[in-house]
Amino acid sequence: MSDTNVLNFSSKKEEETTALSSMDAFLSSNQKVLISIVVVAVVAVIAAIAGITFADSAKEKQLSAIDKISYTLTQKSASLSDEELETRRNVALDGLNAYTSKKGIAGIRSNMLAGDIYYQSAKFEDAKNAYLKAASASPKAYTAPICYYNVAQCFENLNDNENAVVYYEKAESYSDFAMLTHTIFNIGRVKESIKDYQGAKEAYTKLAEKYPDDSWTKIAKSRLLDFEIKGIAQ
């Protein structure tokens, strides 16, 4: 859709606004899904390489124990009541306490699992702290930007958008982060929500310039077009 068409036909502009509103609603309603998928994916990958990467038997025992906690937490959980689920979560958290102070893979795994449990219980402050511990357990690991991304989502749920931006930007600083373009878009989205339109424009423009074919860039370009129409961040 060209700029001329947008300016000449108000109906098309309305369609664009509706589409953008739908995307914002999707992102808001699916934050919990997105974070859970990320954590599960990381756990699966680490579990697959654990036997190869770590020959130390103590670490293997720690990982095995964390796997058992995770399995017990999720086994046949679909039919459980909220009260039963909460009991399982509390038992899992008690079991993870033995490993959350560890460094390296055990510290990452245990704290990420704890963060996910807290998040699912809407205990976003506790989730945030767990993900920060997971990141500090191995700051150079590829899991670190995932943890920072999760921390940013916790801050969003805590209505602290300024700190959400800080941690999205920490995640963005890892150039090999698999969710890099999504993260840059989130930086723009959150900055726009706090009326930092210049900062939002910079994030959306970065997507347009560096990742022109990415799906998040398409939405970013729509936001830039909306800014242009409304005379925002000129």
Side-chain angles (χ1 to χ4, degrees):
M1 182 167 59
S2 69
D3 291 6
T4 302
N5 286 338
V6 173
L7 293 170
N8 288 342
F9 298 97
S10 60
S11 62
K12 290 188 177 181
K13 180 181 176 182
E14 290 172 1
E15 289 175 5
E16 177 188 83
T17 303
T18 301
L20 291 167
S21 297
S22 297
M23 178 56 67
D24 286 341
F26 170 83
L27 289 172
S28 297
S29 65
N30 285 277
Q31 280 189 12
K32 195 171 290 186
V33 174
L34 291 170
I35 201 167
S36 296
I37 290 171
V38 168
V39 172
V40 170
V42 171
V43 169
V45 171
I46 294 175
I49 66 172
I52 299 173
T53 307
F54 298 101
D56 185 88
S57 61
K59 288 180 180 178
E60 289 180 356
K61 288 179 181 178
Q62 291 168 3
L63 292 174
S64 178
I66 295 167
D67 282 339
K68 185 177 180 179
I69 293 169
S70 179
Y71 177 76
T72 302
L73 172 67
T74 57
Q75 184 187 25
K76 298 180 180 179
S77 60
S79 61
L80 297 179
S81 67
D82 290 343
E83 183 178 348
E84 289 169 327
L85 283 171
E86 193 62 22
T87 297
R88 279 202 184 184
R89 289 167 181 160
N90 289 333
V91 170
L93 289 169
D94 286 343
L96 290 170
N97 283 336
Y99 309 102
T100 52
S101 62
K102 304 292 184 182
K103 295 293 184 181
I105 191 68
I108 294 171
R109 286 279 305 282
S110 59
N111 280 294
M112 288 188 80
L113 180 55
D116 196 39
I117 293 169
Y118 284 129
Y119 195 100
Q120 295 299 329
S121 297
K123 296 177 180 178
F124 301 117
E125 185 72 29
D126 291 328
K128 175 201 72 176
N129 293 334
Y131 289 125
L132 285 172
K133 285 183 70 175
S136 65
S138 187
K140 294 184 179 180
Y142 75 94
T143 49
I146 297 172
C147 293
Y148 291 136
Y149 179 95
N150 292 348
V151 169
Q153 290 212 348
C154 290
F155 273 120
E156 282 204 71
N157 279 285
L158 292 166
N159 297 314
D160 185 347
N161 287 335
E162 287 80 5
N163 271 315
V165 169
V166 169
Y167 283 93
Y168 279 133
E169 288 178 341
K170 279 182 174 287
E172 184 203 354
S173 70
Y174 291 75
S175 60
D176 57 348
F177 182 32
M179 296 179 67
L180 186 60
T181 56
H182 190 173
T183 301
I184 296 170
F185 177 82
N186 280 349
I187 292 169
R189 174 179 59 80
V190 177
K191 286 189 174 183
E192 188 177 348
S193 75
I194 58 177
K195 302 187 186 306
D196 179 5
Y197 296 117
Q198 189 60 45
K201 181 180 179 180
E202 289 172 1
Y204 294 146
T205 300
K206 182 184 291 186
L207 278 174
E209 292 178 349
K210 290 190 173 182
Y211 310 96
D213 299 321
D214 190 86
S215 58
W216 292 106
T217 302
K218 295 177 182 178
I219 308 171
K221 287 180 177 178
S222 294
R223 299 307 305 137
L224 288 171
L225 184 57
D226 191 57
F227 283 8
E228 183 179 345
I229 292 167
K230 295 176 179 176
I232 297 173
Q234 295 294 323

